[in-house]
Short mmCIF file of all heavy atoms in Angstrom, two decimals:
data_model
loop_
_atom_site.label_atom_id
_atom_site.label_comp_id
_atom_site.label_asym_id
_atom_site.label_seq_id
_atom_site.Cartn_x
_atom_site.Cartn_y
_atom_site.Cartn_z
N TYR A 1 -3.00 -17.93 -16.08
CA TYR A 1 -4.25 -18.44 -16.75
C TYR A 1 -5.19 -17.27 -16.94
O TYR A 1 -6.06 -17.38 -17.78
CB TYR A 1 -4.87 -19.55 -15.93
CG TYR A 1 -5.66 -20.44 -16.80
CD1 TYR A 1 -4.97 -21.50 -17.45
CD2 TYR A 1 -7.03 -20.31 -16.96
CE1 TYR A 1 -5.69 -22.37 -18.31
CE2 TYR A 1 -7.73 -21.14 -17.87
CZ TYR A 1 -7.04 -22.20 -18.46
OH TYR A 1 -7.72 -23.02 -19.31
N GLY A 2 -5.03 -16.23 -16.20
CA GLY A 2 -5.90 -15.06 -16.37
C GLY A 2 -5.37 -13.97 -15.57
O GLY A 2 -4.50 -14.10 -14.69
N TYR A 3 -5.90 -12.76 -15.76
CA TYR A 3 -5.57 -11.56 -14.90
C TYR A 3 -5.99 -11.86 -13.49
O TYR A 3 -7.08 -12.37 -13.21
CB TYR A 3 -6.29 -10.36 -15.41
CG TYR A 3 -5.75 -9.84 -16.71
CD1 TYR A 3 -6.62 -9.77 -17.77
CD2 TYR A 3 -4.45 -9.45 -16.89
CE1 TYR A 3 -6.27 -9.33 -19.04
CE2 TYR A 3 -4.06 -8.94 -18.13
CZ TYR A 3 -4.90 -8.83 -19.19
OH TYR A 3 -4.46 -8.45 -20.44
N SER A 4 -5.10 -11.65 -12.54
CA SER A 4 -5.46 -11.86 -11.15
C SER A 4 -5.83 -10.55 -10.40
O SER A 4 -5.17 -9.56 -10.63
CB SER A 4 -4.32 -12.49 -10.39
OG SER A 4 -3.91 -13.76 -10.90
N PRO A 5 -6.88 -10.59 -9.59
CA PRO A 5 -7.37 -9.43 -8.87
C PRO A 5 -6.40 -8.93 -7.79
O PRO A 5 -5.77 -9.78 -7.10
CB PRO A 5 -8.73 -9.72 -8.31
CG PRO A 5 -8.69 -11.22 -8.12
CD PRO A 5 -7.76 -11.73 -9.27
N ALA A 6 -6.31 -7.67 -7.58
CA ALA A 6 -5.48 -7.11 -6.42
C ALA A 6 -6.17 -7.41 -5.13
O ALA A 6 -7.48 -7.22 -5.13
CB ALA A 6 -5.20 -5.68 -6.67
N ASP A 7 -5.47 -7.76 -4.11
CA ASP A 7 -6.06 -8.00 -2.84
C ASP A 7 -5.98 -6.58 -2.04
O ASP A 7 -5.06 -6.19 -1.62
CB ASP A 7 -5.25 -8.89 -2.00
CG ASP A 7 -5.89 -9.20 -0.67
OD1 ASP A 7 -6.87 -8.57 -0.27
OD2 ASP A 7 -5.35 -10.08 0.10
N ASP A 8 -7.18 -5.90 -2.09
CA ASP A 8 -7.18 -4.59 -1.47
C ASP A 8 -8.07 -4.69 -0.23
O ASP A 8 -8.74 -3.63 0.17
CB ASP A 8 -7.68 -3.53 -2.40
CG ASP A 8 -9.03 -3.85 -2.97
OD1 ASP A 8 -9.64 -4.91 -2.68
OD2 ASP A 8 -9.70 -2.86 -3.65
N SER A 9 -8.23 -5.76 0.34
CA SER A 9 -9.10 -6.03 1.55
C SER A 9 -8.49 -5.20 2.70
O SER A 9 -7.18 -4.99 2.83
CB SER A 9 -9.26 -7.48 1.95
OG SER A 9 -7.97 -8.07 2.18
N SER A 10 -9.29 -4.89 3.66
CA SER A 10 -8.87 -3.98 4.71
C SER A 10 -7.68 -4.50 5.54
O SER A 10 -6.76 -3.82 5.89
CB SER A 10 -9.98 -3.62 5.69
OG SER A 10 -11.00 -3.00 5.00
N PHE A 11 -7.77 -5.80 5.86
CA PHE A 11 -6.76 -6.44 6.71
C PHE A 11 -5.42 -6.54 5.91
O PHE A 11 -4.40 -6.33 6.45
CB PHE A 11 -7.16 -7.81 7.27
CG PHE A 11 -8.22 -7.67 8.37
CD1 PHE A 11 -9.51 -8.18 8.11
CD2 PHE A 11 -7.87 -7.15 9.54
CE1 PHE A 11 -10.42 -8.03 9.19
CE2 PHE A 11 -8.85 -7.01 10.60
CZ PHE A 11 -10.11 -7.56 10.31
N ALA A 12 -5.51 -7.01 4.70
CA ALA A 12 -4.23 -7.18 3.84
C ALA A 12 -3.59 -5.77 3.62
O ALA A 12 -2.37 -5.75 3.57
CB ALA A 12 -4.66 -7.74 2.50
N ASN A 13 -4.37 -4.76 3.56
CA ASN A 13 -3.87 -3.41 3.34
C ASN A 13 -3.04 -2.90 4.48
O ASN A 13 -2.30 -1.95 4.36
CB ASN A 13 -5.01 -2.46 3.03
CG ASN A 13 -5.28 -2.34 1.50
OD1 ASN A 13 -4.50 -2.78 0.74
ND2 ASN A 13 -6.34 -1.75 1.15
N ARG A 14 -3.14 -3.58 5.64
CA ARG A 14 -2.32 -3.19 6.79
C ARG A 14 -0.81 -3.41 6.49
O ARG A 14 0.04 -2.77 7.17
CB ARG A 14 -2.68 -3.95 8.00
CG ARG A 14 -4.01 -3.51 8.62
CD ARG A 14 -4.30 -4.35 9.78
NE ARG A 14 -5.44 -3.79 10.54
CZ ARG A 14 -6.02 -4.39 11.67
NH1 ARG A 14 -5.49 -5.42 12.08
NH2 ARG A 14 -7.09 -3.86 12.13
N ILE A 15 -0.46 -4.10 5.41
CA ILE A 15 0.97 -4.30 5.06
C ILE A 15 1.54 -2.91 4.63
O ILE A 15 2.70 -2.82 4.52
CB ILE A 15 1.09 -5.35 3.94
CG1 ILE A 15 2.55 -5.80 3.81
CG2 ILE A 15 0.62 -4.91 2.63
CD1 ILE A 15 3.07 -6.57 5.02
N PHE A 16 0.69 -1.97 4.28
CA PHE A 16 1.15 -0.68 3.72
C PHE A 16 1.12 0.36 4.98
O PHE A 16 1.48 1.53 4.73
CB PHE A 16 0.20 -0.11 2.63
CG PHE A 16 0.20 -1.01 1.50
CD1 PHE A 16 -0.94 -1.75 1.19
CD2 PHE A 16 1.24 -1.06 0.66
CE1 PHE A 16 -0.98 -2.58 0.07
CE2 PHE A 16 1.29 -1.93 -0.44
CZ PHE A 16 0.07 -2.65 -0.80
N ASP A 17 0.75 0.01 6.18
CA ASP A 17 0.75 0.87 7.29
C ASP A 17 2.15 1.24 7.69
O ASP A 17 3.11 0.41 7.56
CB ASP A 17 -0.03 0.23 8.49
CG ASP A 17 -1.44 0.08 8.22
OD1 ASP A 17 -2.01 0.50 7.24
OD2 ASP A 17 -2.10 -0.52 9.14
N PRO A 18 2.34 2.43 8.24
CA PRO A 18 3.58 2.84 8.71
C PRO A 18 4.18 1.85 9.75
O PRO A 18 5.41 1.53 9.83
CB PRO A 18 3.43 4.18 9.36
CG PRO A 18 2.23 4.72 8.59
CD PRO A 18 1.34 3.60 8.30
N ALA A 19 3.31 1.37 10.65
CA ALA A 19 3.64 0.32 11.70
C ALA A 19 4.27 -0.85 11.14
O ALA A 19 5.04 -1.58 11.73
CB ALA A 19 2.47 0.10 12.60
N ALA A 20 3.73 -1.23 9.88
CA ALA A 20 4.21 -2.55 9.30
C ALA A 20 5.72 -2.38 8.90
O ALA A 20 6.40 -3.42 8.75
CB ALA A 20 3.41 -2.78 7.99
N VAL A 21 6.17 -1.22 8.66
CA VAL A 21 7.64 -1.05 8.45
C VAL A 21 8.49 -1.48 9.54
O VAL A 21 9.46 -2.16 9.51
CB VAL A 21 7.94 0.42 7.99
CG1 VAL A 21 9.44 0.57 7.81
CG2 VAL A 21 7.15 0.89 6.80
N ASP A 22 8.04 -1.10 10.78
CA ASP A 22 8.77 -1.49 12.03
C ASP A 22 8.78 -2.99 12.17
O ASP A 22 9.75 -3.67 12.42
CB ASP A 22 8.15 -0.91 13.24
CG ASP A 22 8.44 0.59 13.39
OD1 ASP A 22 9.52 0.95 13.09
OD2 ASP A 22 7.48 1.32 13.59
N ASP A 23 7.60 -3.61 11.96
CA ASP A 23 7.45 -5.10 12.05
C ASP A 23 8.34 -5.76 11.03
O ASP A 23 9.03 -6.78 11.42
CB ASP A 23 5.97 -5.52 11.77
CG ASP A 23 5.08 -4.97 12.89
OD1 ASP A 23 5.52 -4.78 14.00
OD2 ASP A 23 3.89 -4.80 12.54
N PHE A 24 8.38 -5.31 9.78
CA PHE A 24 9.17 -5.96 8.75
C PHE A 24 10.67 -5.78 9.05
O PHE A 24 11.44 -6.76 8.92
CB PHE A 24 8.82 -5.33 7.39
CG PHE A 24 9.35 -6.05 6.24
CD1 PHE A 24 8.69 -6.94 5.58
CD2 PHE A 24 10.72 -5.70 5.78
CE1 PHE A 24 9.21 -7.70 4.48
CE2 PHE A 24 11.21 -6.40 4.59
CZ PHE A 24 10.49 -7.37 4.00
N TYR A 25 11.02 -4.52 9.51
CA TYR A 25 12.45 -4.33 9.69
C TYR A 25 12.99 -5.19 10.68
O TYR A 25 14.18 -5.71 10.63
CB TYR A 25 12.66 -2.83 10.06
CG TYR A 25 14.16 -2.45 10.12
CD1 TYR A 25 14.80 -2.06 8.89
CD2 TYR A 25 14.88 -2.43 11.23
CE1 TYR A 25 16.13 -1.76 8.91
CE2 TYR A 25 16.29 -2.11 11.26
CZ TYR A 25 16.83 -1.75 10.04
OH TYR A 25 18.19 -1.44 10.06
N ARG A 26 12.28 -5.48 11.83
CA ARG A 26 12.76 -6.24 12.91
C ARG A 26 12.70 -7.72 12.74
O ARG A 26 13.27 -8.53 13.38
CB ARG A 26 11.91 -5.93 14.13
CG ARG A 26 12.10 -4.57 14.72
CD ARG A 26 11.45 -4.41 16.19
NE ARG A 26 9.99 -4.63 16.11
CZ ARG A 26 9.12 -3.64 16.08
NH1 ARG A 26 9.57 -2.38 16.30
NH2 ARG A 26 7.91 -3.95 16.13
N ALA A 27 11.96 -8.14 11.68
CA ALA A 27 11.62 -9.64 11.38
C ALA A 27 12.97 -10.28 10.88
O ALA A 27 13.80 -9.67 10.20
CB ALA A 27 10.61 -9.71 10.44
#
């Protein structure tokens, strides 16, 4: 319906942290 804004909030951006790779890989 329209362009959607990127979620660049501080907590959401933790998905790009190096530690998030370990969490994702083990999940």
Side-chain angles (χ1 to χ4, degrees):
Y1 209 82
Y3 294 118
S4 299
D7 184 357
D8 61 353
S9 59
S10 299
F11 287 114
N13 269 347
R14 286 181 171 176
I15 195 67
F16 301 109
D17 290 355
V21 177
D22 289 316
D23 295 335
F24 191 92
Y25 190 84
R26 291 192 297 258

